[in-house]
Amino acid sequence: MLIWILIICLSQVAVQSQYYSKSLPYHPKPVKVTNLHFFFHETLSSKNPTTVEIAQVNIPSNHNNSSVPFATLYALDDPLKIGPEHDSEVIGNAQGLTVLAGTNTTDAVMYVDFGFTSGKFKGSSISIFSRNPIREIEREVAVIGGRGQFKMATGFALLKAYFINDTNVIIEYNVTVIHY
Ligand SMILES: *[C@@H]1O[C@H](CO)[C@@H](O)[C@H](O)[C@H]1NC(C)=O
Ligand SMILES: *[C@@H]1O[C@H](CO)[C@@H](O)[C@H](O)[C@H]1NC(C)=O
Ligand SMILES: *[C@@H]1O[C@H](CO)[C@@H](O)[C@H](O)[C@H]1NC(C)=O
Ligand SMILES: *[C@@H]1O[C@H](CO)[C@@H](O)[C@H](O)[C@H]1NC(C)=O
Ligand SMILES: *[C@@H]1O[C@H](CO)[C@@H](O)[C@H](O)[C@H]1NC(C)=O
């Protein structure tokens, strides 16, 4: 009995003696490609905004009242819908941060997780971390990872501004995801 306890204790000590595994050759698994098509609905100012400003630097060059002032940070939780209509079915949400990062351009950089809440990819999400020239009608952003069924994702998304006014923005997303 004592010997068994000793063996168990020793084996646990061995398990906890290092924090990394042996590095082995990597054998890539076959990957799949999936196309996603949806609309990103953003509400900027209303009783229930889905994108809100959380910080802005106070420097003289921002006092031109630009609608996209440099060094402004937004938090967002925007619904993703099947179509561009307001009452279209919600299939997920985009949560994260966007920072206006151009001193002389209208570039944003987005750090956003696009999670799906219905259909085959319910519970899975893709991570977009990319420069996003928001004033251009068509643009491309990078997919750099994913969760759930989108593990090890890479890819890109083609974005097209579908509707923009002062309070509402609707962007069409056409995403090509390569994943496990
Ligand atoms: C704001 O205006 C000042 C003076 O006209 C100019 O020097 C500066 O570049 C402008 N900044 C931006 C962000 O447009
Ligand atoms: C920016 O807007 C404020 C308030 O509307 C105004 O007082 C100021 O003169 C504007 N500045 C410029 C550079 O247009
Ligand atoms: C800023 O933008 C203006 C207009 O697009 C351009 O003429 C100028 O060269 C730019 N300045 C810098 C420092 O990039
Ligand atoms: C923007 O468009 C939406 C949807 O059509 C509308 O409900 C809203 O009142 C508009 N906002 C402004 C400032 O025009
Ligand atoms: C989405 O992008 C893919 C790859 O670029 C393209 O083949 C497809 O036609 C596009 N679909 C839509 C609806 O834009």
Side-chain angles (χ1 to χ4, degrees):
M1 188 64 184
L2 273 176
I3 289 171
W4 273 113
I5 288 170
L6 195 62
I7 287 171
I8 288 166
C9 289
L10 281 177
S11 67
Q12 280 179 355
V13 167
V15 163
Q16 290 169 3
S17 69
Q18 61 187 29
Y19 67 92
Y20 49 87
S21 77
K22 196 170 166 222
S23 298
L24 299 169
Y26 177 58
H27 300 294
K29 286 206 253 176
V31 291
K32 296 174 283 221
V33 60
T34 302
N35 264 90
L36 306 169
H37 183 244
F38 55 80
F39 290 80
F40 170 94
H41 290 245
E42 182 161 71
T43 307
L44 291 164
S45 54
S46 72
K47 249 186 358 200
N48 298 305
T50 61
T51 295
V52 292
E53 183 181 310
I54 51 181
Q56 188 183 100
V57 73
N58 183 15
I59 48 173
S61 63
N62 272 349
H63 292 170
N64 302 21
N65 298 339
S66 161
S67 62
V68 285
F70 172 60
T72 307
L73 182 64
Y74 293 88
L76 58 99
D77 184 356
D78 291 337
L80 306 175
K81 300 183 186 179
I82 286 273
E85 305 79 19
H86 183 66
D87 60 359
S88 180
E89 186 196 345
V90 174
I91 50 98
N93 54 60
Q95 298 182 336
L97 298 171
T98 292
V99 59
L100 299 179
T103 50
N104 193 34
T105 62
T106 54
D107 280 349
V109 175
M110 58 194 291
Y111 309 82
V112 181
D113 180 292
F114 286 71
F116 301 96
T117 52
S118 75
K120 182 179 173 192
F121 294 105
K122 182 176 176 177
S124 299
S125 61
I126 55 171
S127 304
I128 289 182
F129 170 17
S130 188
R131 183 177 293 230
N132 181 0
I134 50 177
R135 281 296 171 83
E136 286 169 27
I137 298 295
E138 294 191 38
R139 46 209 196 243
E140 182 194 312
V141 297
V143 174
I144 54 105
R147 299 164 57 244
Q149 295 190 70
F150 292 125
K151 275 184 193 48
M152 302 290 280
T154 55
F156 60 94
L158 303 175
L159 278 54
K160 197 166 176 185
Y162 181 88
F163 177 87
I164 300 178
N165 70 9
D166 286 349
T167 53
N168 292 73
V169 175
I170 302 174
I171 310 285
E172 181 178 5
Y173 271 69
N174 179 13
V175 195
T176 300
V177 197
I178 295 166
H179 59 99
Y180 273 173

PDB file of all heavy atoms in Angstrom, residues 35 37 156 158 172 174-176, ligand 5:
ATOM      1  N   ASN A  35     -17.467  28.842 -47.063  1.00  0.00           N
ATOM      2  CA  ASN A  35     -17.818  30.233 -47.371  1.00  0.00           C
ATOM      3  C   ASN A  35     -18.969  30.679 -46.484  1.00  0.00           C
ATOM      4  O   ASN A  35     -19.945  29.934 -46.317  1.00  0.00           O
ATOM      5  CB  ASN A  35     -18.232  30.363 -48.835  1.00  0.00           C
ATOM      6  CG  ASN A  35     -17.079  30.816 -49.686  1.00  0.00           C
ATOM      7  OD1 ASN A  35     -16.332  29.990 -50.191  1.00  0.00           O
ATOM      8  ND2 ASN A  35     -16.907  32.118 -49.801  1.00  0.00           N
ATOM      9  N   HIS A  37     -21.669  33.875 -45.660  1.00  0.00           N
ATOM     10  CA  HIS A  37     -22.224  35.097 -46.234  1.00  0.00           C
ATOM     11  C   HIS A  37     -23.281  35.636 -45.281  1.00  0.00           C
ATOM     12  O   HIS A  37     -24.234  34.938 -44.952  1.00  0.00           O
ATOM     13  CB  HIS A  37     -22.835  34.779 -47.609  1.00  0.00           C
ATOM     14  CG  HIS A  37     -23.355  35.984 -48.304  1.00  0.00           C
ATOM     15  ND1 HIS A  37     -24.682  36.148 -48.601  1.00  0.00           N
ATOM     16  CD2 HIS A  37     -22.720  37.096 -48.741  1.00  0.00           C
ATOM     17  CE1 HIS A  37     -24.835  37.319 -49.199  1.00  0.00           C
ATOM     18  NE2 HIS A  37     -23.675  37.911 -49.301  1.00  0.00           N
ATOM     19  N   PHE A 156      -9.934  35.015 -45.301  1.00  0.00           N
ATOM     20  CA  PHE A 156     -10.121  36.457 -45.546  1.00  0.00           C
ATOM     21  C   PHE A 156     -11.606  36.715 -45.721  1.00  0.00           C
ATOM     22  O   PHE A 156     -12.381  35.799 -45.997  1.00  0.00           O
ATOM     23  CB  PHE A 156      -9.338  36.898 -46.791  1.00  0.00           C
ATOM     24  CG  PHE A 156      -9.753  36.191 -48.051  1.00  0.00           C
ATOM     25  CD1 PHE A 156     -10.707  36.754 -48.884  1.00  0.00           C
ATOM     26  CD2 PHE A 156      -9.211  34.959 -48.391  1.00  0.00           C
ATOM     27  CE1 PHE A 156     -11.105  36.099 -50.051  1.00  0.00           C
ATOM     28  CE2 PHE A 156      -9.611  34.288 -49.545  1.00  0.00           C
ATOM     29  CZ  PHE A 156     -10.553  34.866 -50.371  1.00  0.00           C
ATOM     30  N   LEU A 158     -14.314  39.472 -47.657  1.00  0.00           N
ATOM     31  CA  LEU A 158     -14.543  40.596 -48.556  1.00  0.00           C
ATOM     32  C   LEU A 158     -15.750  41.355 -48.009  1.00  0.00           C
ATOM     33  O   LEU A 158     -16.807  40.766 -47.768  1.00  0.00           O
ATOM     34  CB  LEU A 158     -14.808  40.083 -49.979  1.00  0.00           C
ATOM     35  CG  LEU A 158     -13.696  39.199 -50.551  1.00  0.00           C
ATOM     36  CD1 LEU A 158     -14.088  38.630 -51.909  1.00  0.00           C
ATOM     37  CD2 LEU A 158     -12.397  39.985 -50.661  1.00  0.00           C
ATOM     38  N   GLU A 172     -21.987  44.001 -45.885  1.00  0.00           N
ATOM     39  CA  GLU A 172     -22.098  42.621 -46.371  1.00  0.00           C
ATOM     40  C   GLU A 172     -20.732  41.948 -46.198  1.00  0.00           C
ATOM     41  O   GLU A 172     -19.712  42.516 -46.579  1.00  0.00           O
ATOM     42  CB  GLU A 172     -22.490  42.646 -47.851  1.00  0.00           C
ATOM     43  CG  GLU A 172     -22.655  41.271 -48.444  1.00  0.00           C
ATOM     44  CD  GLU A 172     -23.087  41.309 -49.916  1.00  0.00           C
ATOM     45  OE1 GLU A 172     -23.168  42.404 -50.510  1.00  0.00           O
ATOM     46  OE2 GLU A 172     -23.328  40.222 -50.462  1.00  0.00           O
ATOM     47  N   ASN A 174     -18.487  38.498 -46.974  1.00  0.00           N
ATOM     48  CA  ASN A 174     -18.342  37.256 -47.731  1.00  0.00           C
ATOM     49  C   ASN A 174     -17.000  36.669 -47.299  1.00  0.00           C
ATOM     50  O   ASN A 174     -15.946  37.147 -47.697  1.00  0.00           O
ATOM     51  CB  ASN A 174     -18.384  37.585 -49.236  1.00  0.00           C
ATOM     52  CG  ASN A 174     -18.230  36.363 -50.079  1.00  0.00           C
ATOM     53  OD1 ASN A 174     -18.321  35.234 -49.586  1.00  0.00           O
ATOM     54  ND2 ASN A 174     -17.972  36.564 -51.369  1.00  0.00           N
ATOM     55  N   VAL A 175     -17.058  35.659 -46.441  1.00  0.00           N
ATOM     56  CA  VAL A 175     -15.845  35.162 -45.787  1.00  0.00           C
ATOM     57  C   VAL A 175     -15.442  33.809 -46.373  1.00  0.00           C
ATOM     58  O   VAL A 175     -16.289  32.926 -46.543  1.00  0.00           O
ATOM     59  CB  VAL A 175     -16.075  34.972 -44.262  1.00  0.00           C
ATOM     60  CG1 VAL A 175     -14.746  34.824 -43.531  1.00  0.00           C
ATOM     61  CG2 VAL A 175     -16.887  36.102 -43.664  1.00  0.00           C
ATOM     62  N   THR A 176     -14.180  33.666 -46.660  1.00  0.00           N
ATOM     63  CA  THR A 176     -13.626  32.370 -47.057  1.00  0.00           C
ATOM     64  C   THR A 176     -12.762  31.893 -45.884  1.00  0.00           C
ATOM     65  O   THR A 176     -11.790  32.555 -45.529  1.00  0.00           O
ATOM     66  CB  THR A 176     -12.778  32.526 -48.334  1.00  0.00           C
ATOM     67  OG1 THR A 176     -13.636  33.034 -49.367  1.00  0.00           O
ATOM     68  CG2 THR A 176     -12.191  31.199 -48.775  1.00  0.00           C
TER      69      THR A 176
HETATM   70  C1  LIG B   5     -17.692  35.371 -52.051  1.00  0.00           C
HETATM   71  O1  LIG B   5     -16.300  35.245 -52.288  1.00  0.00           O
HETATM   72  C2  LIG B   5     -15.965  34.072 -53.007  1.00  0.00           C
HETATM   73  C3  LIG B   5     -14.437  33.985 -53.026  1.00  0.00           C
HETATM   74  O2  LIG B   5     -13.825  35.198 -53.338  1.00  0.00           O
HETATM   75  C4  LIG B   5     -16.608  34.167 -54.384  1.00  0.00           C
HETATM   76  O3  LIG B   5     -16.312  33.012 -55.098  1.00  0.00           O
HETATM   77  C5  LIG B   5     -18.124  34.301 -54.216  1.00  0.00           C
HETATM   78  O4  LIG B   5     -18.742  34.505 -55.468  1.00  0.00           O
HETATM   79  C6  LIG B   5     -18.473  35.480 -53.332  1.00  0.00           C
HETATM   80  N1  LIG B   5     -19.890  35.444 -53.039  1.00  0.00           N
HETATM   81  C7  LIG B   5     -20.635  36.549 -52.854  1.00  0.00           C
HETATM   82  C8  LIG B   5     -22.079  36.319 -52.530  1.00  0.00           C
HETATM   83  O5  LIG B   5     -20.157  37.679 -52.930  1.00  0.00           O
END
